[in-house]
Amino acid sequence: MKAATNTFTLAARVLHWLMAAMILAMLFIGVGMVASVSERHEWLLAIHKPLGIAILILAVVRLAVRLRHPPPPLPADLPALQKLAALASHWLLYFLMLAMPLIGWAMLSAGGYPVMLGTSLRLPPILPANATAFAVLRHLHGTFALLLFLTFLAHMAAALYHGLIRRDGVLSGMLGRR
């Protein structure tokens, strides 16, 4: 197998690993929120909202970095179907990193809930209060969260496949090694 010799830019690598940790934390916090009616719910919610907005901001930055500095090419001998799957899954991850926080913000706005990023910073609502919109967006937020989790797992599996089985340099490029 022909090894990829290029690495991702430092900005792309830092954003990738920082956001991976944030998204994984967010997924577990989200599960904890919907599974708890205890006092932990408010604490988790207080973390979930600003973390979601941070992910949104970093996703915009990450998309700009990717458009300015395209990722290294995949190995030439990678089957076309796997190349297509890699491309599609990456764009799905970008879509979800942008959509999830916006849907959450819209959901809270439609529910009449404030989006607080601390004790004094409140984001403006992006939708008017509407119970039906809240219910639809809440369902969509949960469905997209599951899709994000499954895509995250597939992405990790593909990284391990490239690093442990193919040993083609794709994983080492994201780790900053040649």
Side-chain angles (χ1 to χ4, degrees), residues 14-103:
V14 168
L15 286 165
H16 176 272
W17 293 109
L18 175 62
M19 292 189 71
M22 292 170 72
I23 289 167
L24 192 57
M26 182 62 99
L27 289 167
F28 283 105
I29 289 167
V31 168
M33 279 178 12
V34 299
S36 176
V37 292
S38 71
E39 64 280 351
R40 283 183 298 202
H41 183 270
E42 288 302 316
W43 177 71
L44 292 170
L45 193 58
I47 296 170
H48 193 79
K49 291 176 187 179
L51 187 55
I53 297 302
I55 288 170
L56 175 62
I57 292 167
L58 289 176
V60 170
V61 171
R62 188 168 174 193
L63 184 58
V65 167
R66 182 181 175 116
L67 293 174
R68 180 146 169 86
H69 304 283
L74 291 168
D77 66 337
L78 192 66
L81 188 57
Q82 288 183 20
K83 286 182 181 179
L84 178 62
L87 182 66
S89 67
H90 279 104
W91 287 112
L92 177 59
L93 284 168
Y94 278 101
F95 169 76
L96 292 169
M97 288 186 291
L98 294 166
M100 287 293 298
L102 289 171
I103 292 168

Side-chain angles (χ1 to χ4, degrees), residues 150-168:
L150 294 173
T151 308
F152 186 94
L153 289 177
H155 185 74
M156 283 185 5
L160 292 173
Y161 168 72
H162 283 284
L164 300 175
I165 296 171
R166 280 188 55 100
R167 297 181 183 173
D168 57 12

Side-chain angles (χ1 to χ4, degrees), residues 13 20 32 43 48 74 81 109 116 133 138-141 148 158 169:
R13 291 191 317 266
W43 177 71
H48 193 79
L74 291 168
L81 188 57
S109 297
M116 301 298 296
R138 182 179 167 107
H139 179 73
L140 188 61
H141 196 66
L148 179 59

